[in-house]
Amino acid sequence: MKKIGLTGGIGSGKSTVAEIFSRLGIPVFVSDRVAADLQETNEELKKEIIKIFGTSIYSDGKLNRRKVAEFVFADKKMLEQLNAAVHPAVGKAFEKFCLDNKNADYVLKESAILFEIGDDKNLDGMIVVTAPDELRIHRVMSRDGLEKEAVVQRMKNQMKQEEKVKKASHVILNDEQQLLIPQVLFVNDALLIFIC
């Protein structure tokens, strides 16, 4: 079984692409969803997060995600500390996911920061979803109700799209001009041929 990364900058549409792969029957590990769950259920991880942000970051066992985002996107050191706490726990969850799906031809690990944390070295290939910056900004503003400056700040904390494309084994353009499904089918076929 191959382990393939699926990544792209904020607002690129990687979740939409992940959903298409999922509908094709490909097991998709959504790192953000798993991380969000672990941040509220894994007691060791909760302790680490409290060390970084203080006890007020949790209320009735729920993590104040908006507050975390405000902290980490303004302070790169806090972002690094959070990543250092969360990613080992997510990595263990991914190992279990792979065992649970060991009969699949390949699995996808979807995350915005696979390159940033060096996870691409643990994977057999990388799919990068791209979109024009202005479209990405508009999508995130609409989705999250953020001001443009806040979105731009978040984009600055991620690797540039062009750098990700250089490291990709496959690229999917999600610019609302090109059809997504044929691109996903092409990549899926290429991965299946490569595996056989």
Side-chain angles (χ1 to χ4, degrees):
M1 177 196 59
K2 297 286 181 186
K3 300 170 188 174
I4 308 296
L6 174 62
T7 193
I10 187 171
S12 63
K14 67 192 165 306
S15 298
T16 302
V17 170
E19 179 61 28
I20 297 169
F21 274 104
S22 181
R23 288 178 185 236
L24 292 174
I26 306 305
V28 179
F29 180 89
V30 182
S31 298
D32 284 351
R33 197 177 303 147
V34 172
D37 181 56
L38 290 171
Q39 289 167 1
E40 293 182 353
T41 60
N42 183 310
E43 292 305 318
E44 297 235 345
L45 181 55
K46 283 170 78 170
K47 286 177 191 168
E48 290 297 315
I49 292 170
I50 288 167
K51 276 186 201 171
I52 299 166
F53 302 103
T55 54
S56 66
I57 205 70
Y58 283 95
S59 177
D60 295 327
K62 298 284 182 198
L63 182 64
N64 186 333
R65 297 184 196 291
R66 189 172 283 274
K67 206 172 188 182
V68 169
E70 287 171 13
F71 279 125
V72 299
F73 289 113
D75 184 338
K76 213 165 191 171
K77 188 175 179 187
M78 276 188 159
L79 178 61
E80 289 168 4
Q81 290 174 316
L82 179 63
N83 285 341
V86 172
H87 292 300
V90 173
K92 285 180 186 171
F94 181 62
E95 288 173 21
K96 183 183 181 313
F97 178 84
C98 291
L99 283 173
D100 292 344
N101 291 283
K102 64 180 181 231
N103 293 325
D105 290 317
Y106 70 94
V107 298
L108 288 180
K109 183 176 188 181
E110 186 256 339
S111 173
I113 57 171
L114 291 174
F115 288 119
E116 289 87 337
I117 62 170
D119 217 7
D120 55 306
K121 293 170 186 69
N122 305 317
L123 300 166
D124 301 303
M126 293 293 294
I127 303 166
V128 174
V129 182
T130 66
D133 286 350
E134 283 305 314
L135 181 56
R136 293 170 57 204
I137 291 166
H138 174 73
R139 286 174 178 161
V140 178
M141 287 172 65
S142 298
R143 180 189 73 197
D144 297 345
L146 296 172
E147 297 295 322
K148 182 175 182 175
E149 297 74 31
V151 180
V152 170
Q153 186 60 45
R154 290 181 184 197
M155 288 170 72
K156 284 181 183 174
N157 281 324
Q158 294 181 344
M159 180 185 285
K160 287 191 169 145
Q161 200 164 235
E162 299 77 26
E163 292 176 47
K164 289 184 181 194
V165 167
K166 286 178 190 171
K167 297 179 174 204
S169 38
H170 303 279
V171 178
I172 293 176
L173 177 59
N174 185 15
D175 64 355
E176 298 181 2
Q177 305 296 313
Q178 318 298 314
L179 294 174
L180 274 181
I181 292 174
Q183 293 182 75
V184 171
L185 290 172
F186 178 83
V187 171
N188 180 60
D189 288 348
L191 288 169
L192 292 174
I193 289 166
F194 174 71
I195 288 162
C196 295

